[in-house]
Amino acid sequence: MNTHTNELKRKAAQIRIDLLRMIHHAKTGHTGSSLSNADILTTLYYDVMKLDVTNPKWGDRDRFIASKGHAVESLYCILADKGFFPKEELQTFSQFGSRLIGHPNNKIPGVEMNTGALGHGLSVAVGMGLAGKMDGRSYRVFTLMGDGEQAEGSIWEAAMAASHYKLDNVVGIIDRNKLQISGSTEDVMGLEPLEDKWSSFGWHVVPVNGNDVAELSAALHAAPESSGKPTLLMAYTTKGKGVSFAENVPHWHHHVPSDAELAQAIEQLSKEAQVVIHE
């Protein structure tokens, strides 16, 4: 494993620690989903996307839309760590008057749009991708969707449009952890064969281990592999990843860790990635 991959793994572990502390302090949050997507967002923000922290509205920046907006805690922690806003502000998460509300808020530098009502992010990403093509811009648009979100009809309307307009500057990512708030995705609304469905809509589908930063990096840097086709990363993840007693446990979707659970989780994460914990 190379040094860069190790650094990404350490960064993802630190982001998980930060988001757990933030949720514990706020006494609210979507814990399992944010732990699930931490590797995806870490790879995007520290390895793949073109960004300028000093100029968040830079015209040629890559765009990211958190379509599964409820899993915002990892995104806030990354934006703070990157310097889009002071890290101390994380302690105001979900408090009265805070701009760090429970879903992405575009009053925050680095957040492209408010999200939370599932099924909307891909449509906006398609619009941004089409605008980029029309304006001759080189940016790419990334959007992270939940797998439970795939039951929304607007997802498939956007999928058709992206293929029709040959938007190879659009990269969709599905956090395929196979759990949603009400249980297994296959029990709530069966999705399989999900890869085949996206392929049939004209997308270039790339299955990856969504908790492996090396695989994610390679796939994201390679997109688009197929000219004229949008890319879909089917990122197979573990809900609650990194915290053994939270992994694949449905009630951790929005469980707030107790003092003891927080301490145990931080111990596990710090050992896994050899993170130095700064109290």
Side-chain angles (χ1 to χ4, degrees):
M1 188 178 295
N2 62 40
T3 302
H4 183 60
T5 298
N6 275 329
E7 286 303 314
L8 287 175
K9 285 174 64 68
R10 280 194 281 270
K11 181 60 72 174
Q14 186 62 61
I15 294 302
R16 285 184 167 97
I17 290 168
D18 291 346
L19 73 87
L20 286 167
R21 284 177 166 156
M22 185 174 71
I23 290 170
H24 176 261
H25 180 77
K27 296 181 172 54
T28 187
H30 285 83
T31 312
S33 300
S34 290
L35 290 169
S36 172
N37 72 26
D39 299 298
I40 297 168
L41 295 188
T42 296
T43 306
L44 280 171
Y45 276 88
Y46 295 93
D47 183 56
V48 175
M49 292 173 61
K50 297 183 302 180
L51 299 167
D52 184 351
V53 174
T54 65
N55 182 16
K57 295 297 184 182
W58 173 44
D60 286 321
R61 73 191 181 281
D62 288 330
R63 276 78 166 159
F64 173 72
I65 304 294
S67 191
K68 55 175 296 182
H70 57 279
V72 73
E73 293 84 359
S74 46
L75 177 61
Y76 284 163
C77 289
I78 286 172
L79 292 177
D81 186 67
K82 295 284 289 185
F84 283 96
F85 61 87
K87 205 165 185 179
E88 295 75 23
E89 194 173 345
L90 294 174
Q91 295 302 303
T92 72
F93 175 62
S94 286
Q95 294 182 11
F96 179 75
S98 173
R99 60 182 178 168
L100 299 183
I101 56 177
H103 292 82
N105 174 11
N106 64 5
K107 292 184 173 66
I108 300 166
V111 175
E112 297 288 345
M113 66 170 288
N114 297 349
T115 54
L118 294 172
H120 295 173
L122 185 61
S123 297
V124 174
V126 168
M128 288 179 170
L130 183 57
K133 291 286 188 182
M134 295 173 71
D135 292 343
R137 298 281 193 176
S138 62
Y139 64 74
R140 290 186 293 171
V141 187
F142 301 88
T143 185
L144 178 63
M145 298 170 278
D147 48 7
E149 186 178 0
Q150 303 305 296
E152 299 283 353
S154 53
I155 292 287
W156 301 102
E157 294 177 47
M160 282 193 292
S163 175
H164 175 78
Y165 290 109
K166 304 184 187 306
L167 300 182
D168 53 10
N169 58 347
V170 172
V171 180
I173 308 166
I174 296 177
D175 185 358
R176 186 71 171 114
N177 58 42
K178 301 184 180 180
L179 288 173
Q180 59 190 99
I181 190 169
S182 45
S184 161
T185 56
E186 300 313 292
D187 290 337
V188 176
M189 179 64 69
L191 300 175
E192 295 298 343
L194 192 53
E195 290 182 24
D196 291 344
K197 288 175 182 176
W198 278 90
S199 293
S200 74
F201 272 69
W203 287 60
H204 178 67
V205 177
V206 182
V208 294
N209 179 344
N211 294 130
D212 185 318
V213 293
E215 276 195 40
L216 287 163
S217 176
L220 289 165
H221 277 295
E225 290 184 62
S226 184
S227 180
K229 277 191 172 187
T231 299
L232 189 284
L233 261 64
M234 192 68 70
Y236 293 96
T237 63
T238 299
K239 196 155 189 172
K241 179 66 176 178
V243 179
S244 62
F245 49 90
E247 291 185 355
N248 289 319
V249 179
H251 86 268
W252 272 83
H253 181 85
H254 48 44
H255 175 72
V256 176
S258 66
D259 292 352
E261 288 170 335
L262 177 65
Q264 186 179 353
I266 290 175
E267 182 181 6
Q268 288 183 7
L269 288 163
S270 60
K271 284 180 178 177
E272 176 188 346
Q274 298 178 340
V275 175
V276 177
I277 306 303
H278 299 285
E279 296 295 344

